[in-house]
Amino acid sequence: MMVCLILLLALPISSFALKANTQNIQDHNLKAVYLFRFAFLTTWGAFAPSNQKFNFCSEASSDISNTLRALINKKPAQATFIPYSSISDIQPNSCHVIYLSTQDPIMIKQFQTSQPHALLVGDGESFIHSGGMIAFIKINNRIKPLISLKHIAPTGLSLRSQLLSVSNIANDEGSL
């Protein structure tokens, strides 16, 4: 399992994710790397981007967004960053991975309706309880994805075993 986590995070993150102390990775940096990797650890089928570039949508100004944007700027052939202030800023069906800071079930449902084949990612178990698909949780002081297979199923997407093996899977009620 540890090998899978190392492979998952094998992107060159040192230039922007590490602080002066190389053992101190900030949570928002790790979350941004996970967000980027989620697109490549998902089987998109008919919903794969025709131009081979994934669109990552995230709130315009947050530490996670800034780090994700910096990562995407280093990989322009693979991805595009789309910042938003509200859901109306995003064209329907334009995002592949969306990071949300809200845990409001109404807002999450609006994103699901507008972006029916996107992964909705947020923070905490309450995000899953509100209808989110993947949430970042902390276990033993480490960031891990918590995945709701029930909420991902309607998208027509599937997650690869490499991601599932390093994640916690939520039960039907959305908790561990």
Side-chain angles (χ1 to χ4, degrees), residues 1 4-5 8 40-43 147 149 158-167 169:
M1 182 164 147
C4 291
L5 182 58
L8 176 69
F40 301 97
L41 293 170
T42 299
T43 302
I147 296 174
L149 297 174
S158 63
L159 302 179
R160 296 191 182 154
S161 61
Q162 297 96 325
L163 176 55
L164 295 173
S165 68
V166 298
S167 302
I169 307 301

Side-chain angles (χ1 to χ4, degrees), residues 56-78:
F56 293 83
C57 300
S58 187
E59 293 172 336
S61 60
S62 74
D63 288 339
I64 293 171
S65 294
N66 293 334
T67 305
L68 181 60
R69 181 189 324 246
L71 176 59
I72 289 170
N73 286 342
K74 292 178 185 240
K75 308 273 186 181
Q78 296 178 326

Side-chain angles (χ1 to χ4, degrees), residues 91-102:
Q91 295 294 320
N93 293 309
S94 62
C95 300
H96 295 98
V97 178
I98 304 171
Y99 179 74
L100 303 164
S101 65
T102 185

Side-chain angles (χ1 to χ4, degrees), residues 17-152:
L18 300 180
K19 293 194 89 137
N21 176 356
T22 57
Q23 294 182 351
N24 182 18
I25 299 176
Q26 297 291 317
D27 287 352
H28 67 271
N29 292 324
L30 186 57
K31 289 177 183 181
V33 171
Y34 264 123
L35 283 166
F36 187 80
R37 295 301 298 153
F38 288 161
F40 301 97
L41 293 170
T42 299
T43 302
W44 295 92
F47 310 111
S50 58
N51 65 358
Q52 305 300 314
K53 285 178 73 168
F54 291 100
N55 293 330
F56 293 83
C57 300
S58 187
E59 293 172 336
S61 60
S62 74
D63 288 339
I64 293 171
S65 294
N66 293 334
T67 305
L68 181 60
R69 181 189 324 246
L71 176 59
I72 289 170
N73 286 342
K74 292 178 185 240
K75 308 273 186 181
Q78 296 178 326
T80 302
F81 181 80
I82 301 172
Y84 69 87
S85 296
S86 72
I87 193 167
S88 63
D89 294 342
I90 305 171
Q91 295 294 320
N93 293 309
S94 62
C95 300
H96 295 98
V97 178
I98 304 171
Y99 179 74
L100 303 164
S101 65
T102 185
Q103 296 183 353
D104 179 356
I106 294 170
M107 291 292 296
I108 292 170
K109 184 65 174 166
Q110 288 175 339
F111 275 94
Q112 288 171 333
T113 302
S114 172
Q115 311 292 323
H117 307 292
L119 292 176
L120 301 182
V121 184
D123 289 299
E125 280 187 58
S126 56
F127 182 76
I128 298 294
H129 290 296
S130 297
M133 299 169 191
I134 302 174
F136 294 116
I137 58 172
K138 222 170 197 181
I139 297 178
N140 296 327
N141 208 25
R142 293 186 180 186
I143 300 293
K144 288 191 74 156
L146 173 63
I147 296 174
S148 171
L149 297 174
K150 173 182 149 187
H151 295 157
I152 290 174

